[in-house]
Amino acid sequence: MVKAQTTTAPAGATPRGCTNLKLRQLTRRVSQHYDRIVGAAGLKTTQYSLLSYVTRLGPARPGDIADAMEMDASTLTRNLQPMVANGWIEVGPGADGRSRWVTATAAGKAKHAEAQREWKRAQLALNARLGEARVVALHALLDDCLAKINDIEEPVHG
């Protein structure tokens, strides 16, 4: 494993390397950390995130969930399928023949609560490893970058 430097860049420094690669490396390692811990509840972190949104927003239209998660509708539909098959989420008819509603089942809410305890363990472990101040700064930087990208680019979902 390569040990990364922990220094901050000097003012006026020019970015070096590929931002996409660096983000993918970080997200891959963070995802592995969460998957290892949240997996104890029988969910992948992507499934936990989806179940969290459905639990919080539901019943909701698939498009509203996709918008909230900043993903395209086809990805959402694909990710819903195993959740429906496991009985954690139901997709039912909406107000008319073209609309649908997505909701968490009682089993899904119970699975979410179980996974949420594991997610909390994963989050606290990551905070301890990186330091809470660094995690707060990272969240702020990511939120700011996402807002700036969303200002200039059309979202991919919809």
Side-chain angles (χ1 to χ4, degrees):
M1 181 167 87
V2 176
K3 194 87 164 160
Q5 293 181 2
T6 58
T7 60
T8 57
T14 302
R16 295 185 63 199
C18 176
T19 302
N20 185 53
L21 174 63
K22 289 181 179 296
L23 283 169
R24 289 179 59 88
Q25 288 172 328
L26 177 62
T27 58
R28 190 172 15 258
R29 296 292 293 152
V30 170
S31 291
Q32 289 168 352
H33 167 80
Y34 278 88
D35 281 338
R36 183 175 47 78
I37 297 172
V38 175
L43 290 176
K44 297 176 184 175
T45 54
T46 52
Q47 293 173 318
Y48 171 70
S49 295
L50 177 54
L51 192 53
S52 293
Y53 273 92
V54 171
T55 299
R56 186 172 58 237
L57 298 175
R61 296 178 305 187
D64 294 337
I65 296 168
D67 286 346
M69 294 185 74
E70 297 198 27
M71 69 170 47
D72 61 57
S74 64
T75 300
L76 176 70
T77 299
R78 191 171 47 255
N79 290 344
L80 282 172
Q81 291 171 352
M83 307 290 281
V84 170
N86 282 314
W88 300 326
I89 290 176
E90 289 180 336
V91 179
D96 59 44
R98 297 178 308 177
S99 64
R100 298 178 300 152
W101 288 99
V102 177
T103 188
T105 64
K109 290 175 184 175
K111 180 56 73 175
H112 178 259
E114 177 188 356
Q116 190 171 34
R117 289 187 293 275
E118 298 303 324
W119 171 86
K120 182 72 170 178
R121 279 189 337 108
Q123 184 64 52
L124 291 174
L126 189 69
N127 290 354
R129 176 98 185 225
L130 298 178
E132 287 188 2
R134 181 174 281 130
V135 173
V136 168
L138 178 61
H139 286 198
L141 180 60
L142 292 170
D143 289 343
D144 184 54
C145 289
L146 187 58
K148 289 189 182 312
I149 286 175
N150 284 341
D151 282 348
I152 60 171
E153 293 183 4
E154 285 296 315
V156 177
H157 54 282

